[in-house]
Amino acid sequence: MSFMLLISVLIIFSTIQSVLGVGLLVFGTPTLLIMGFSFEETLSIVLPASICISLLQVIEPQKSGKSFRKEFNLFCLPFVFLGVYYVLLNEKNIDLSIYVGGMLFISGAIRLSSKLTTILSSFIFQYRKLYQVILGLVHGLTNMGGGLLTLFSSSIHSGDKNSTRAGVAYGYLLMGVIQYGMLLFFHPEFISIKIVLYVLIAAVSYLLFGKRLYVNTQEKLFHNSVTAIILFYGCVLIFR
């Protein structure tokens, strides 16, 4: 893949993540894998950019609740660590794609109905600790927990645009730091000046395009976009 094409991929998905909270990992991971990058190479490209955007979003005034963060730290992050450790230690990716994709597709379809959305939110509330454990494992093993994280944050924050994105940004930031730290520990060869380039591309995309688009995105459009990203992500995982 040409260098300019890689830059274009980063700009597009950085802008999407700036608006929706997810994009670089959800879309960037399968895109780069399809284009011939290894799983480890893909992580080394998308993680620095994703961490940068999530950090910029987290330091903004709109934030998720402290209870959300405390519970997420306790029940999700340890399993992200375990998942990444297992994958990198064995130097292979665990293919949970069809199962995760099916779950996301069903979840996205449910979100199309306000009545079913209420039922789903109640389910997540009832089993939220177990859900976060599964989220951590799935993301650690496959780098594809973005749809699950978006669904969780949207349900916990009742679909509120600012709180949903803030929750996703917080989760992505800490999960990304864990993943990236372990990646560099197992593969120090990925430490290079290119990291700075990926971060700069993400930051510029966020400040010039993504932030402005997010401010002008209406609540309903944001909800529909979240639903669309979950459905699309599910289809990509099922049929790739």
Side-chain angles (χ1 to χ4, degrees), residues 157-177:
H157 295 111
S158 303
D160 177 73
K161 173 184 171 182
N162 293 328
S163 297
T164 295
R165 193 185 71 152
V168 172
Y170 177 81
Y172 251 169
L173 174 61
L174 294 190
M175 292 194 300
V177 168

Side-chain angles (χ1 to χ4, degrees), residues 15-35:
T15 302
I16 292 176
Q17 181 160 328
S18 299
V19 178
L20 300 181
V22 294
L24 277 164
L25 304 190
V26 168
F27 294 119
T29 299
T31 299
L32 295 183
L33 289 175
I34 290 172
M35 291 181 172

Side-chain angles (χ1 to χ4, degrees), residues 10-223:
L10 285 174
I11 292 174
I12 293 171
F13 295 145
S14 292
T15 302
I16 292 176
Q17 181 160 328
S18 299
V19 178
L20 300 181
V22 294
L24 277 164
L25 304 190
V26 168
F27 294 119
T29 299
T31 299
L32 295 183
L33 289 175
I34 290 172
M35 291 181 172
F37 286 90
S38 69
F39 184 67
E40 290 79 8
E41 289 174 322
T42 297
L43 290 181
S44 71
I45 295 170
V46 298
L47 283 176
S50 177
I51 290 172
C52 173
I53 292 178
S54 296
L55 179 60
L56 291 173
Q57 292 172 333
V58 165
I59 62 178
E60 290 181 349
Q62 298 89 358
K63 298 179 180 180
S64 57
K66 291 183 179 180
S67 60
F68 173 89
R69 296 186 176 199
K70 183 177 180 180
E71 189 177 83
F72 187 86
N73 294 345
L74 182 62
F75 292 100
C76 182
L77 295 183
F79 292 93
V80 175
F81 177 87
L82 291 176
V84 177
Y85 180 79
Y86 181 81
V87 169
L88 295 178
L89 186 64
N90 292 277
E91 297 186 351
K92 62 180 180 180
N93 184 29
I94 310 302
D95 189 9
L96 300 175
S97 298
I98 190 168
Y99 303 106
V100 178
M103 182 167 55
L104 287 175
F105 186 84
I106 293 172
S107 299
I110 290 175
R111 283 173 57 87
L112 294 175
S113 167
S114 58
K115 184 176 181 179
L116 292 178
T117 298
T118 301
I119 296 175
L120 177 62
S121 296
S122 299
F123 176 84
I124 290 179
F125 270 112
Q126 185 176 357
Y127 299 101
R128 58 191 289 172
K129 294 178 181 178
L130 175 61
Y131 186 93
Q132 289 174 89
V133 169
I134 295 173
L135 165 60
L137 282 174
V138 168
H139 193 73
L141 291 170
T142 66
N143 199 38
M144 296 181 179
L148 296 176
L149 175 59
T150 302
L151 179 62
F152 178 71
S153 183
S154 179
S155 297
I156 295 302
H157 295 111
S158 303
D160 177 73
K161 173 184 171 182
N162 293 328
S163 297
T164 295
R165 193 185 71 152
V168 172
Y170 177 81
Y172 251 169
L173 174 61
L174 294 190
M175 292 194 300
V177 168
I178 291 174
Q179 289 176 283
Y180 197 51
M182 295 189 67
L183 174 68
L184 296 183
F185 177 79
F186 280 93
H187 295 280
E189 66 271 18
F190 289 126
I191 300 176
S192 71
I193 193 64
K194 291 181 179 179
I195 296 174
V196 178
L197 176 61
Y198 302 150
V199 169
L200 286 176
I201 290 173
V204 171
S205 299
Y206 174 78
L207 295 173
L208 290 184
F209 310 116
K211 193 172 183 178
R212 297 178 182 180
L213 288 173
Y214 173 75
V215 171
N216 294 304
T217 301
Q218 300 299 318
E219 197 84 27
K220 184 176 181 180
L221 177 60
F222 181 81
H223 176 84

Side-chain angles (χ1 to χ4, degrees), residues 222-234:
F222 181 81
H223 176 84
N224 291 338
S225 298
V226 170
T227 301
I229 200 173
I230 291 173
L231 284 170
F232 181 81
Y233 179 35

